[in-house]
Amino acid sequence: MSPEQSPPVSFAYDPAKIREMEQELVKLRRNDLQYRTLLVSMPAGVLLEDENRGIIQVNQLFCNLFGMPQQPDELIGIDCSQSAEYSKHLFREPETFVRRIEEILHRRELVTGESLDMADGRILERDYIPLFLDGYYLGHLWRYTDVTEQRRLLEKLKSVQ
């Protein structure tokens, strides 16, 4: 039988299966909306990278903290493997910043509350959260918070005492 003469393909219509798939799609859309809302409203700069250092998500506050002219959506998919080298001029101790990033990425262990002195006088606090699923490394999340004012107030309080 030639391809022109093959019998027509028929699909079984299963209303229950279609409803189940629609419900799953609604759940996925709801989860995506919740995740994006959380990311946008978080009071910290957030960068989520995959296991190859490609950007999965980033929020506007992250872009603002590092003076990036791009919008978050424009950064999705960009390779961050050289980002420490490109942004090291923003830090008071550039080479220390680059070495520390390499060390953190190599160890793939949770880091919280790490203090970063910026060249412009700001102080950021950084968290690194590696993401694993069933023992497989999926990537990591960087979280940056500007703690400059808190640190200055703390220093002021210490000097008064």
Side-chain angles (χ1 to χ4, degrees):
M1 188 178 260
S2 71
E4 297 87 30
Q5 298 172 341
S6 61
V9 177
S10 64
F11 295 98
Y13 178 74
D14 184 350
K17 189 69 170 169
I18 291 174
R19 272 193 303 280
E20 182 182 322
M21 291 170 62
E22 287 172 342
Q23 289 171 349
E24 278 301 309
L25 184 58
V26 168
K27 285 180 189 176
L28 287 172
R29 286 182 175 162
R30 184 181 319 126
N31 288 345
D32 184 59
L33 176 62
Q34 291 169 339
Y35 162 73
R36 289 181 185 277
T37 301
L38 176 65
L39 184 69
V40 168
S41 63
M42 189 174 270
V46 176
L47 172 65
L48 179 61
E49 296 176 344
D50 66 23
E51 69 278 10
N52 298 312
R53 305 238 18 236
I55 296 177
I56 296 172
Q57 282 294 336
V58 59
N59 68 1
Q60 186 62 51
L61 187 52
F62 179 88
C63 295
N64 295 348
L65 284 172
F66 294 100
M68 302 173 80
Q70 301 93 337
Q71 293 298 306
D73 289 345
E74 296 174 283
L75 298 171
I76 294 173
I78 290 178
D79 179 1
C80 286
S81 61
Q82 297 300 312
S83 61
E85 196 61 42
Y86 295 139
S87 61
K88 70 182 182 181
H89 69 279
L90 298 171
F91 297 87
R92 189 167 291 153
E93 296 180 21
E95 296 309 320
T96 301
F97 169 74
V98 172
R99 277 193 307 276
R100 182 66 180 136
I101 291 280
E102 291 169 0
E103 178 185 320
I104 289 171
L105 292 171
H106 176 74
R107 287 187 178 182
R108 294 183 178 168
E109 295 173 352
L110 179 68
V111 174
T112 59
E114 188 169 63
S115 186
L116 302 170
D117 294 326
M118 306 297 288
D120 64 7
R122 290 179 298 148
I123 303 168
L124 301 183
E125 227 173 54
R126 172 176 63 198
D127 298 334
Y128 166 82
I129 303 162
L131 305 171
F132 291 92
L133 180 63
D134 297 329
Y136 293 100
Y137 177 69
L138 301 178
H140 50 267
L141 182 137
W142 296 101
R143 185 179 152 278
Y144 292 86
T145 306
D146 188 336
V147 294
T148 309
E149 286 306 311
Q150 291 121 318
R151 296 281 176 90
R152 287 182 181 155
L153 287 172
L154 185 59
E155 290 302 314
K156 192 180 263 188
L157 283 172
K158 286 180 182 178
S159 68
V160 172
Q161 293 177 355

